Amino acid sequence: MKKTIQDCLNERILIIDGAMGTMIQQYKLQEKDYRGERFKDWHKDVRGNNDLLSLTQPQIIQAIHKAYLEAGADIIETNTFSSTSIAQADYDMQSLAYELNVAAAKCARKAIDEFTKDSKQTNNCKFIAGAIGPLNKTLSLSPDVNNPGFRTVTFDEVADAYYEQIRGLADGGVDLLLIETIFDTLNAKAAIYAIKKYFNDTKKEELPIMISGTITDASGRTLSGQTLEAFYISVAHANPLSVGLNCALGAKEMRPHIEELSQIASCYTSAYPNAGLPNAFGEYDEQPEDTAHILEEWAKEGFVNIVGGCCGTTPDHIKHIAEAVKKFEARKLPVVEEELEVVEE
């Protein structure tokens, strides 16, 4: 029988994959590659719509997933960071949202099946996380500096878009749901609401939820202004499998925040930083062994349960990270007191 992710997390530190976009860039795809045969006459340019490749170039997405599996990843993320009707509106492809999520989940499943067959390994600890991105519209911040109360989208619209995405991911066969790169907690709350509503409506067994926020700078706050502790408290009601951080920062800059999170979270913790900070050209120079060395220290200190990489990371980064942390035990979940202690004077 396949182990649950909780079984695997209790055994060791699990490895989540690295950047999808970084790997897609290496293929140097042109407009016609993104379009494929199906969208060859589409009325808008679609180059840069990486999620569309799950339909037009599925072999590329499967190859990337498989490369991360071969590097040691236990959790691979679907190519669905922007697979909502709201995000796809940039390309007039709102109607494809559900289909994109189903297709991306199936790409990930095929990659695991191929990896299992080729390596003659079991897939007991190989899981697909349905990636739910932050959207290109925010509920907490106004895009108009002269009108701070203005919003381009409502909570219900965001929740509906996420609901459609979750339905596609679930129908595609993901094992987990990952709300990631959260810079606006209200958007994340809409995603949590949509997840709960979907499983309540369908009566299906609820999938574990992973939540990953983004600390945007040295202030230790999200873009919408929350401290890390405030962010954690804001999403803890979802009863997540894990809460963690990803993107914006390299491992060196993320370290104090991961240390803090490890002390306050009653669930598992995750961290997948960028390959350092971008250079003047927006590229990432941190070498795999350097990223791995920093994450090795986190593992040694008992900060993490799940580690991997975000922007700029490759299968080589993931391979080095997996090798570096395997000798350390995973972070132990703290015992949380259910009642307040009464202190008598």
Side-chain angles (χ1 to χ4, degrees), residues 301-343:
E301 295 293 333
F303 295 161
V304 290
N305 301 100
I306 303 167
V307 292
C310 201
C311 302
T313 59
T314 65
D316 201 22
H317 286 82
I318 299 306
K319 181 179 179 180
H320 279 75
I321 292 168
E323 186 66 26
V325 305
K326 72 178 184 181
K327 56 183 175 288
F328 299 106
E329 291 187 3
R331 166 182 170 270
K332 302 296 183 185
L333 294 188
V335 177
V336 179
E337 298 293 338
E338 295 295 332
E339 298 178 358
L340 294 175
E341 181 180 355
V342 178
V343 179

Side-chain angles (χ1 to χ4, degrees), residues 222-236:
T222 64
L223 188 64
S224 55
Q226 284 189 306
T227 63
L228 180 56
E229 184 176 17
F231 167 73
Y232 171 72
I233 292 170
S234 296
V235 298

Side-chain angles (χ1 to χ4, degrees), residues 134-174:
L135 297 187
N136 51 357
K137 294 184 178 181
T138 172
L139 289 166
S140 295
L141 302 169
S142 172
D144 183 354
V145 294
N146 297 313
N147 186 2
F150 175 69
R151 298 293 184 272
T152 57
V153 70
T154 67
F155 184 92
D156 286 346
E157 288 170 342
V158 170
D160 287 347
Y162 278 136
Y163 188 101
E164 182 180 31
Q165 178 173 39
I166 292 154
R167 182 169 65 89
L169 291 170
D171 288 351
V174 301

Side-chain angles (χ1 to χ4, degrees), residues 4 14 25 54 95-96 142 149 158 167 222 288 317:
T4 67
L14 296 188
Q25 288 173 9
S54 298
S95 62
L96 295 176
S142 172
V158 170
R167 182 169 65 89
T222 64
H317 286 82

Side-chain angles (χ1 to χ4, degrees), residues 12-192:
R12 59 184 174 85
I13 296 173
L14 296 188
I15 307 299
I16 195 167
D17 60 10
M20 174 64 73
T22 299
M23 294 300 293
I24 289 173
Q25 288 173 9
Q26 295 183 8
Y27 283 83
K28 302 187 185 304
L29 301 176
Q30 302 302 312
E31 178 70 23
K32 63 181 179 62
D33 301 311
Y34 277 88
R35 288 174 176 262
E37 183 63 25
R38 177 175 171 183
F39 301 102
K40 65 180 182 180
D41 297 322
W42 196 254
H43 60 280
K44 272 193 171 185
D45 288 347
V46 296
R47 185 182 178 188
N49 187 2
N50 288 343
D51 295 27
L52 185 62
L53 298 174
S54 298
L55 293 175
T56 59
Q57 303 288 344
Q59 74 284 356
I60 290 177
I61 304 304
Q62 291 167 32
I64 294 171
H65 285 317
K66 193 174 178 185
Y68 279 122
L69 290 165
E70 291 169 346
D74 302 298
I75 303 169
I76 55 174
E77 303 170 59
T78 56
N79 180 38
T80 53
F81 191 80
S82 300
S83 293
T84 58
S85 57
I86 290 174
Q88 287 298 313
D90 287 349
Y91 305 95
D92 281 350
M93 289 184 160
Q94 301 94 311
S95 62
L96 295 176
Y98 171 81
E99 186 181 358
L100 287 173
N101 287 281
V102 173
K106 290 183 176 179
C107 284
R109 182 61 64 193
K110 287 181 180 178
I112 288 180
D113 290 344
E114 286 182 12
F115 169 77
T116 302
K117 180 181 177 182
D118 293 348
S119 63
K120 296 182 172 57
Q121 296 182 23
T122 65
N123 66 350
N124 278 349
C125 279
K126 301 298 180 187
F127 302 95
I128 300 170
I132 300 170
L135 297 187
N136 51 357
K137 294 184 178 181
T138 172
L139 289 166
S140 295
L141 302 169
S142 172
D144 183 354
V145 294
N146 297 313
N147 186 2
F150 175 69
R151 298 293 184 272
T152 57
V153 70
T154 67
F155 184 92
D156 286 346
E157 288 170 342
V158 170
D160 287 347
Y162 278 136
Y163 188 101
E164 182 180 31
Q165 178 173 39
I166 292 154
R167 182 169 65 89
L169 291 170
D171 288 351
V174 301
D175 303 301
L176 319 160
L177 293 170
L178 169 59
I179 308 171
E180 66 169 346
T181 322
I182 299 164
F183 59 84
D184 181 350
T185 308
L186 194 52
N187 279 32
K189 282 182 171 289
I192 292 168

